[in-house]
């Protein structure tokens, strides 16, 4: 217990004193936020080629080494955010169980199942969807599964698949946030949630604690999908922290760098630089130095050029564009800001996993203070899913 609480406090301390490197909105900035405080780091960032940016984003050890000159805590952050692989069992999975499940999702489900202990308890599958996880639980643990899902059609489809596969799965159509869902959480039960978003998996942990459930295993996802504007800490340790997280901050752990093809990268560059160029233009027109987000755009519009994008965005935001706007100038301004943002995001990359571990440890410490023995680790490699952390808790004396 002391280990996780101590790790949280150490990580909290390091993240707190380095807020200037991660807790801000790059899109809202017209230039690097560190120009005055860290001019040498900014000069180094500006000197990086696109290939060097890509290499540093893909290699955390190289990134830590490169940034240590200006962020002395870089190596400590990296060490505190390490998460060891959990032991996994070789499990015989019946043929045909993966029917209708995409290959990558099936790999995740198998890895998650292989890391779960065999407690011989009935299962509760939280936010079940069509019950894909429930299938493998029912088939490989010889225990019944209750699959709770709020979308009626998914329940119907999941029930039909379970009957066809002759698996002991019972679907319950219910809202995971509604108090009535409490009745489906039993004391002698193992509750699971694979990639239930934000407050959905938090709600499960709180319900299990309240109902004194025997065991719960979750793989957290989408930390920003919360009902309040500011993150509500769970544990005593996190409630004492000076760190306050809004939804933008909570997106940081999810912003993994993904290798994409040239076409996708080009489209991404166009969209981001167009948005930034229009933002700079609207600041100039409205004499207001605040970032203005615009809605999602059909990708086809990007092919019509920057001017067409600005006309569309201005209409969406009820902004009147003056005649004779130099669109080429503002497009170049957007491209300039794009390069700056890429380099600020490179520095923030250093803090993505540490912030995720901070959030995970808040959950772990909450379970420990609620009389649970907790184990924490990864159930698969990052290429399978970047959200590869598994929290497993068993109530003491169950």
């Amino acid at each position: 217990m002391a280990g996780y609480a101590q790790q949280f406090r150490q990580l909290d301390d390091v993240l707190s004193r380095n807020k200037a490197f991660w807790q801000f909105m790059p899109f809202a900035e017209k230039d690097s936020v560190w120009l005055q405080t860290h001019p040498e780091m900014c000069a180094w960032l500006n000197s990086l080629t696109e290939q060097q940016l890509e290499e540093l984003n893909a290699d955390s050890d190289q990134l830590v080494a490169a940034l240590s000159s200006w962020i002395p805590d870089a190596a400590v952050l990296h060490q505190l955010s390490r998460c060891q692989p959990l032991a996994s069992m070789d499990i015989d999975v019946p043929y045909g169980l993966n029917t209708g499940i995409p290959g990558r999702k099936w790999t995740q489900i198998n890895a998650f199942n292989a890391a779960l202990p065999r407690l011989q308890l009935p299962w509760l599958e939280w936010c079940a969807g069509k019950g894909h996880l429930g299938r493998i639980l029912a088939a490989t643990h010889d225990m019944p599964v209750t699959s709770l899902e709020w979308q009626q059609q998914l329940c119907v489809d999941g029930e039909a698949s379970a009957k066809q596969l002759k698996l002991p799965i019972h679907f319950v159509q219910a809202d995971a946030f509604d108090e009535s869902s409490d009745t489906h959480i039993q004391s002698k039960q193992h509750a699971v949630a694979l990639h239930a978003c934000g407050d959905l998996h938090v709600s499960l942990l709180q319900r299990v604690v309240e109902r004194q459930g025997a065991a719960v295993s979750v793989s957290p996802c989408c930390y920003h999908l919360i009902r309040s504007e500011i993150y509500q800490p769970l544990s005593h340790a996190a409630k004492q922290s000076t760190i306050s997280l809004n939804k933008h901050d909570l997106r940081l752990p999810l912003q993994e760098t993904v290798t994409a093809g040239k076409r996708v990268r080009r489209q991404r560059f166009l969209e981001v630089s167009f948005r930034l160029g229009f933002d700079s233009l609207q600041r100039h027109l409205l004499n207001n130095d605040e970032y203005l987000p615009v809605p999602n755009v059909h990708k086809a519009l990007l092919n019509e050029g920057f001017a067409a994008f600005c006309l569309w965005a201005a209409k969406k935001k009820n902004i009147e564009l003056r005649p004779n706007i130099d669109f080429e100038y503002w497009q170049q301004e957007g491209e300039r800001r794009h390069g700056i943002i890429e380099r600020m995001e490179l520095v923030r990359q250093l803090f993505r996993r540490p912030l995720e571990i901070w959030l995970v440890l808040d959950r772990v410490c909450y379970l420990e203070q609620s009389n649970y023995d907790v184990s924490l680790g990864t159930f698969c490699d990052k290429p399978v899913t970047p959200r590869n952390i598994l929290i497993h808790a068993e109530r003491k004396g169950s």
Side-chain angles (χ1 to χ4, degrees):
M1 181 184 296
Y4 288 130
Q6 182 181 11
Q7 184 183 355
F8 178 87
R9 285 192 293 270
Q10 290 175 326
L11 189 53
D12 181 67
D13 183 50
V14 179
L15 284 172
S16 294
R17 66 172 175 257
N18 287 282
K19 285 180 186 177
F21 292 109
W22 63 270
Q23 198 168 31
F24 63 94
M25 289 182 64
F27 255 68
E29 303 298 331
K30 292 192 296 184
D31 222 320
S32 175
V33 295
W34 310 299
L35 271 180
Q36 303 303 318
T37 56
H38 295 81
E40 290 182 1
M41 184 178 76
C42 290
W44 172 74
L45 288 169
N46 289 334
S47 73
L48 296 174
T49 65
E50 291 303 311
Q51 183 177 344
Q52 288 172 324
L53 275 173
E54 197 173 313
E55 288 173 357
L56 286 166
N57 268 313
D59 188 336
S60 57
D61 290 327
Q62 190 179 341
L63 181 63
V64 167
L67 289 175
S68 290
S69 299
W70 304 287
I71 307 176
D73 287 324
V76 176
L77 270 173
H78 194 45
Q79 183 61 38
L80 288 172
S81 61
R82 290 186 185 277
C83 208
Q84 297 301 316
L86 294 166
S88 61
M89 294 179 286
D90 288 326
I91 297 175
D92 265 343
V93 179
Y95 177 78
L97 210 62
N98 61 336
T99 302
I101 304 176
R104 192 159 173 263
K105 187 65 179 177
W106 180 240
T107 303
Q108 294 170 19
I109 289 169
N110 268 285
F112 185 83
N113 181 47
L116 296 175
R118 305 184 74 86
L119 301 178
Q120 293 304 300
L121 290 168
W123 298 96
L124 171 66
E125 183 187 13
W126 196 250
C127 304
K130 293 183 181 180
H132 292 162
L133 174 62
R135 288 188 201 177
I136 200 167
L137 296 176
T140 62
H141 292 263
D142 297 319
M143 296 301 292
V145 177
T146 298
S147 295
L148 187 141
E149 168 58 41
W150 77 275
Q151 293 189 57
Q152 181 64 43
Q153 190 55 52
L154 296 182
C155 291
V156 171
D157 294 344
E159 195 86 56
S161 295
K163 285 181 181 177
Q164 189 174 8
L165 293 165
K166 298 179 180 177
L167 295 172
I169 303 175
H170 171 61
F171 274 80
V172 174
Q173 194 274 319
D175 182 350
F177 289 131
D178 194 275
E179 288 182 6
S180 62
S181 296
D182 290 3
T183 59
H184 303 291
I185 298 175
Q186 308 297 326
S187 59
K188 298 296 182 183
Q189 185 186 59
H190 189 166
V192 292
L194 173 57
H195 295 159
C197 295
D199 276 350
L200 288 170
H201 74 258
V202 170
S203 174
L204 175 62
L205 296 179
Q206 291 171 323
R207 267 45 171 327
V208 168
V209 166
E210 288 167 7
R211 307 278 291 188
Q212 299 187 1
V216 60
S217 305
V218 300
S219 176
C221 185
C222 300
Y223 302 96
H224 64 291
L225 295 180
I226 57 176
R227 290 167 290 178
S228 60
E229 289 303 311
I230 301 297
Y231 177 71
Q232 303 298 309
L234 297 170
S235 65
H236 298 322
K239 287 176 181 177
Q240 293 168 2
S241 172
T242 61
I243 292 175
S244 176
L245 302 170
N246 60 30
K247 291 181 181 181
H248 172 76
D249 299 326
L250 293 169
R251 288 179 182 271
L252 179 59
L254 312 174
Q255 294 169 348
E256 298 286 335
T257 301
V258 179
T259 303
K262 185 181 289 186
R263 185 186 65 81
V264 174
R265 289 203 305 271
R266 174 63 182 168
Q267 191 175 65
R268 172 69 179 161
F269 167 76
L270 282 178
E271 180 171 355
V272 173
S273 62
F274 281 12
R275 287 178 180 275
L276 292 169
F278 174 75
D279 178 60
S280 293
L281 171 59
Q282 68 83 20
R283 292 187 196 211
H284 171 72
L285 292 175
L286 302 179
N287 196 26
N288 181 8
D289 204 20
E290 289 187 9
Y291 176 69
L292 181 69
V294 296
N296 290 331
V297 61
H298 291 296
K299 305 306 178 190
L301 179 64
L302 302 176
N303 299 326
E304 297 180 27
F306 177 67
F309 176 86
C310 287
L311 291 169
W312 168 83
K315 186 177 180 181
K316 290 288 183 183
K317 290 296 179 177
N318 295 315
I319 296 173
E320 186 177 346
L321 295 184
R322 300 170 188 170
N324 304 320
I325 288 174
D326 186 350
F327 287 110
E328 185 177 350
Y329 169 82
W330 295 109
Q331 181 174 354
Q332 289 173 356
E333 178 64 11
E335 291 174 2
R336 182 191 72 83
R337 285 179 62 189
H338 178 275
I340 291 168
I341 283 175
E342 274 202 318
R343 284 151 179 80
M344 287 194 288
E345 289 290 13
L346 177 67
V347 176
R348 293 179 87 225
Q349 169 86 359
L350 181 69
F351 296 88
R352 285 174 185 160
R353 191 64 159 189
L355 183 56
E356 178 167 23
I357 298 298
W358 187 97
L359 291 163
V360 167
L361 288 173
D362 179 27
R363 289 145 174 76
V364 168
C365 291
Y366 167 72
L367 289 165
E368 285 189 326
Q369 75 190 36
S370 303
N371 200 34
Y372 282 80
D373 288 318
V374 187
S375 59
L376 173 66
T378 58
F379 65 93
C380 65
D381 294 330
K382 273 201 166 188
V384 176
T385 173
R387 306 281 72 76
N388 62 352
I389 293 173
L390 172 59
I391 302 167
H392 173 73
E394 296 178 26
R395 184 169 177 80
K396 294 176 182 179
S398 291

